[in-house]
Amino acid sequence: MYTLTWQPPYDWQWMFGFLGARAVAGVETVTDDYYERSFAVGGHQGICRGTPDSVNRTRNVTLSPGLLPVAETCLARLERLFDLACDPQQISVALGELGAARPGLRLPGAMDTWEQGVRAILGQLVSVAMAAKLTSRVVALYGEPVKDSPGYMCFPAPEVLAVADPLALKALGMPVKRAESMIYLAQSVVDGTFPLSPPADIDAGMKALQQRPGIGRWTASYLALRGWQAKDVFLPDDYLIKQRFSGMTPAQIRRYAERWQPWRSYALLHIWYTEGWSPSVDGEVTGVQQ
């Protein structure tokens, strides 16, 4: 067993709820106590499970035999997924009252940027539940079974989806344009033109993503938020954000959010999950915990 450390407070219940709502059947299992999933990297595949220990402020990780040769990579990816390197005190100071109700909120990342890119595309204009179902169907059709764990599938490799039939993907329940966007993304990962690591200039990287077929501003921002775990991304065009900032234009929302730089990603999460929050004219923020 391996251990990862984190700084309190950490709202594990919220994190497991967030990931559980988006869990992909065949890839992930999320309970109240642990997160388990298949993973493949460098020709190795297997299952990793993480269980938080709030008393010792550690996350206990077990890996199936197939992942032991790449244990260091698995641990680094889990640390990114759960934002374990976050300094919550630093975020609290930056956000002030906005973050007071949920000081343990962390930024959910991703174990694989390519996978998160696919999930971001499949999440366009559908509910969270439907996005998870669509992704599960893609995995069932194109994923590879995990050898030592019956019932688990590895997320499809980009090399597989790069040559997929868009009509076969359409038959899973998505528009053909979305299928083509996913295939193009896979091809760009294969040819090395898709940035799997966060670029030095996140804003420029998001603009570059928007030049790709089927990726608009929201999808590019969400991909950066989770796939790159960018800390300073805000989504002024998001439906719920526009509701929270009622009567304001996206440009006005963007200017308002500048007060939370360089931690706007965390501000975004707090606004999403603080029922009744609204901006105030005096520059302060108010809200009621959801």
Side-chain angles (χ1 to χ4, degrees):
M1 186 172 69
Y2 303 86
T3 58
L4 297 169
T5 60
W6 45 273
Q7 296 184 53
Y10 195 117
D11 191 341
W12 287 107
Q13 182 179 11
W14 178 87
M15 178 62 82
F16 280 177
F18 183 94
L19 295 176
R22 293 158 178 78
V24 175
V27 173
E28 299 169 294
T29 299
V30 185
T31 73
D32 292 338
D33 301 314
Y34 66 84
Y35 173 86
E36 183 176 86
R37 67 159 291 156
S38 63
F39 189 58
V41 60
H44 302 276
Q45 60 161 227
I47 302 297
C48 54
R49 175 187 286 198
T51 306
D53 180 345
S54 297
V55 174
N56 296 306
R57 300 173 183 176
T58 60
R59 183 168 183 80
N60 302 321
V61 178
T62 56
L63 304 174
S64 65
L67 290 177
L68 293 179
V70 287
E72 186 174 340
T73 298
C74 293
L75 295 176
R77 300 293 183 89
L78 282 167
E79 183 177 72
R80 189 174 73 180
L81 171 64
F82 289 101
D83 196 18
L84 298 183
C86 171
D87 180 347
Q89 301 305 322
Q90 187 178 31
I91 304 299
S92 178
V93 170
L95 300 189
E97 287 300 314
L98 174 60
R102 293 175 176 269
L105 218 60
R106 299 296 176 95
L107 175 61
M111 288 191 67
D112 186 270
T113 305
W114 143 250
E115 175 185 320
Q116 190 56 48
V118 171
R119 294 169 76 146
I121 290 172
L122 292 176
Q124 294 171 347
L125 302 176
V126 299
S127 67
V128 168
M130 179 53 69
K133 287 180 181 179
L134 284 173
T135 308
S136 299
R137 293 170 188 169
V138 172
V139 169
L141 185 59
Y142 294 103
E144 180 181 347
V146 179
K147 297 180 179 64
D148 60 359
S149 300
Y152 272 105
M153 306 279 287
C154 285
F155 195 86
E159 293 81 4
V160 174
L161 285 183
V163 294
D165 180 355
L167 294 181
L169 288 167
K170 178 179 181 293
L172 299 180
M174 70 188 76
V176 69
K177 289 292 185 182
R178 200 161 302 163
E180 291 171 346
S181 175
M182 192 162 51
I183 292 169
Y184 183 85
L185 178 69
Q187 293 170 344
S188 66
V189 172
V190 172
D191 64 28
T193 59
F194 177 75
L196 293 174
S197 299
D201 188 330
I202 295 293
D203 287 337
M206 290 192 295
K207 289 178 181 177
L209 288 176
Q210 293 174 57
Q211 304 306 311
R212 299 170 179 272
I215 296 183
R217 186 160 58 185
W218 188 95
T219 304
S221 298
Y222 190 74
L223 199 160
L225 185 76
R226 297 202 55 202
W228 296 336
Q229 207 180 47
K231 310 297 186 183
D232 196 30
V233 172
F234 206 78
L235 279 64
D237 296 315
D238 177 75
Y239 176 74
L240 184 53
I241 291 299
K242 288 192 288 187
Q243 284 189 320
R244 295 280 196 261
F245 288 86
S246 179
M248 296 174 65
T249 66
Q252 290 172 323
I253 296 172
R254 190 177 294 108
R255 285 196 296 271
Y256 191 98
E258 288 175 358
R259 68 193 62 202
W260 297 306
Q261 291 177 314
W263 308 106
R264 285 177 292 181
S265 298
Y266 293 92
L268 178 73
L269 283 177
H270 281 282
I271 294 171
W272 270 343
Y273 288 94
T274 302
E275 185 68 32
W277 183 92
S278 63
S280 59
V281 294
D282 61 2
E284 297 299 322
V285 292
T286 59
V288 179
Q289 184 175 1
Q290 182 176 321

